[in-house]
Amino acid sequence: MAKLVSNVYGDALFDLAIEQDRIDDFSEEAKVIIEVLEENEDLSKMMCHPKIDKDEKTRVVENIFKGRVSDEIVGLMVMVIEKDHFKDMEDIFEYYISRVKEYKNIGVAYVKTPSELSDTQKKNVEKKLLDTTDYVSFEMNYEVEPDLIGGMVIRIGDRVVDSSVKTKLYELSRQMSKIQLKVGETAP
């Protein structure tokens, strides 16, 4: 199976960062680029427009980013443009950042609760996650979802722990629907 474009370029950037001992520098620059791309939708539209040639797109990127981010990052962006993958630029840098977090053993947790947690509760959740995983720290993301009724849903990567009342009620109703009594038969 072919690797995604973001993985190929993100892995190359990660390898270069390791080789040059610039993991944190490149991470900060990647965050800046992601922010610029998210805040400037017109820039992304222009850079993906088929009638604008690659040389013009390269000049635009160099004008915006040269001197603000490292030459290595600008070079990667130019290479991505030359291969017609600008639409993947944000994904490339997001993938790189995720590789760095993995390398540094930093987990990213998404916690949904029916109401806002206090600071103490948030610290307890993070401590519990640190105690039950191999991560050395966590980047915590909290979201309030009133439909959960009670409990919480925690997602770390592709793992999900769902202790919400909503899910427990759903499971209970599924189990109850499987119970069939014959007409005229009494339950024991």
Side-chain angles (χ1 to χ4, degrees), residues 75-169:
L76 174 72
M77 294 175 78
V78 168
M79 188 184 323
V80 169
I81 291 167
E82 289 172 355
K83 299 291 184 183
D84 282 325
H85 292 300
F86 187 87
K87 68 183 180 338
D88 300 307
M89 191 75 72
E90 195 172 327
D91 292 337
I92 290 167
F93 289 112
E94 285 175 355
Y95 176 79
Y96 169 78
I97 291 169
S98 71
R99 282 287 315 266
V100 170
K101 287 177 184 171
E102 179 184 310
Y103 177 76
K104 291 181 163 194
N105 214 11
I106 300 170
V108 179
Y110 297 89
V111 180
K112 293 182 184 180
T113 55
S115 60
E116 187 70 34
L117 295 178
S118 69
D119 289 341
T120 302
Q121 289 170 319
K122 288 178 180 180
K123 286 178 182 156
N124 288 339
V125 169
E126 185 173 359
K127 182 180 181 333
K128 184 71 169 174
L129 292 176
L130 287 169
D131 291 345
T132 58
T133 65
D134 294 331
Y135 293 109
V136 295
S137 68
F138 269 97
E139 181 181 294
M140 302 297 292
N141 300 283
Y142 293 96
E143 181 182 337
V144 173
E145 192 174 304
D147 290 352
L148 295 178
I149 304 167
M152 67 178 61
V153 177
I154 302 172
R155 181 175 59 85
I156 302 169
D158 59 358
R159 294 177 291 172
V160 177
V161 176
D162 188 342
S163 66
S164 66
V165 172
K166 177 182 178 181
T167 299
K168 288 178 180 176
L169 287 172

Side-chain angles (χ1 to χ4, degrees), residues 19-44:
E19 181 182 308
Q20 294 186 0
D21 194 27
R22 296 183 62 196
I23 292 173
D24 294 331
D25 295 341
F26 288 172
S27 289
E28 291 307 311
E29 292 176 6
K31 289 174 188 173
V32 167
I33 292 166
I34 291 169
E35 188 177 312
V36 167
L37 294 176
E38 286 176 345
E39 291 177 359
N40 297 285
E41 192 175 314
D42 290 340
L43 172 64
S44 294

